[in-house]
Amino acid sequence: MGPHHPYQNRRMTNQNSPVAAPAPETLHFGSKPVRFVKIDDVPYFLLDDLCAASAWKSFVADYVNSPTFPSFGKAEVQIADGNEIRSATALSCVGVYYWTDLADATRGQKIAAWAKRQAHEQAPGIPSDNPAMFLTTDHAGRFMPPRPLKYSGWRAEWFALKDARTPRRPIDPRYAGLEAAAEATRQRAIQEASRVRKPILSVREATYMNDGGIA
C-alpha cells in the first residue's frame, strides 16, 4: 500500500526542532516495553521502541523520513536517557498507522491496532478533527488515507471517513486560511470579470440585432 500513499505528491516531513517533553511513561506491546510521551495531550510512542517491539530492523525507522510521511504523525522530542538528554522521534497512533503502511502493512497490523487502542485509552478527550489521533482527508477533502487491512484496527474509522458527507479535515496549521484565501481570489476574479464584461442587451436591442435591424 505504501506506493499509493495519498500524500505522495506533497512533502510533509516534520522539520521542527525537538520539543521538550515530560519523562516517558511505559506501556507494553506483548512483553516488549514501548515508551510514550504526551504533546498537547496526544500520546507519541518512541520510534526506537516500536521497532524493537515489532522485531523490525533499525532501518525500518527510516520510513518516517519519507517525503510521503505526514508531518502530523510524528514529533521530535527531548527525552532523558540515563544521565543524558537526547533527541528522539516519536509517532502518534496515526503516525504508527502510516509508518506500518509504508514499511509492511500486513506485518504491522498488530502494532498499529495496539497503538490506536493505547493512545485512545491514554487520551480519551482528544477532538475528532485532530489528525494525530484520527484519520483525516487532505486539506481539500479529496485524498483518503491508505486503506487499512483487516486487523489494523482502523477499518471502521476509515470507512466512516470515506462515507461521510463532509470528510473531516486536518487541523495542521499550514492549512489554516486556505479556503478563505481561495474564496477571496474567486471574488476578485468575479469583480474583474464584471468590469470588463459588456452590458446586457435589452430585449428590444437583442431583437433588433438578431433580426438584422428590424425592431
Side-chain angles (χ1 to χ4, degrees):
M1 293 177 66
H4 304 291
H5 194 288
Y7 293 94
Q8 59 188 351
N9 295 321
R10 297 191 294 126
R11 184 171 184 83
M12 297 191 69
T13 50
N14 189 346
Q15 302 296 330
N16 294 333
S17 299
V19 298
E25 300 178 61
T26 302
L27 297 168
H28 286 84
F29 177 67
S31 61
K32 302 293 186 180
V34 178
R35 292 167 292 174
F36 74 96
V37 296
K38 283 188 176 181
I39 301 173
D40 296 330
D41 296 325
V42 173
Y44 283 78
F45 304 92
L46 297 191
L47 180 57
D48 289 347
D49 291 357
L50 291 168
C51 275
S54 303
W56 274 341
K57 294 183 178 180
S58 58
F59 75 84
V60 177
D62 292 338
Y63 282 105
V64 301
N65 298 319
S66 166
T68 65
F69 193 88
S71 61
F72 49 74
K74 70 175 180 177
E76 299 298 321
V77 298
Q78 297 278 11
I79 63 167
D81 192 356
N83 294 325
E84 297 181 352
I85 302 294
R86 69 176 180 89
S87 296
T89 300
L91 305 183
S92 71
C93 61
V94 168
V96 175
Y97 168 64
Y98 277 100
W99 172 60
T100 55
D101 178 74
L102 287 168
D104 186 333
T106 300
R107 185 176 173 183
Q109 290 181 90
K110 189 173 182 179
I111 199 165
W114 175 87
K116 179 183 180 183
R117 184 171 61 254
Q118 296 296 332
H120 285 270
E121 287 179 4
Q122 297 294 325
I126 300 297
S128 63
D129 59 353
N130 188 313
M133 289 282 284
F134 296 89
L135 296 183
T136 55
T137 62
D138 73 314
H139 72 277
R142 296 172 298 176
F143 300 115
M144 289 289 294
R147 185 166 179 156
L149 299 185
K150 184 175 182 179
Y151 300 110
S152 67
W154 291 94
R155 283 175 64 85
E157 185 171 329
W158 190 91
F159 280 107
L161 179 63
K162 181 177 181 292
D163 295 338
R165 287 187 177 182
T166 305
R168 292 197 298 267
R169 299 182 179 184
I171 57 173
D172 192 307
R174 291 171 302 168
Y175 302 142
L178 284 181
E179 291 186 0
E183 178 61 20
T185 300
R186 190 178 76 87
Q187 291 298 329
R188 285 196 298 271
I190 292 173
Q191 293 173 4
E192 180 64 24
S194 67
R195 284 197 293 269
V196 300
R197 188 180 299 140
K198 293 181 179 180
I200 298 174
L201 298 173
S202 67
V203 174
R204 182 178 179 81
E205 290 170 328
T207 302
Y208 179 85
M209 293 179 67
N210 292 335
D211 292 341
I214 300 175

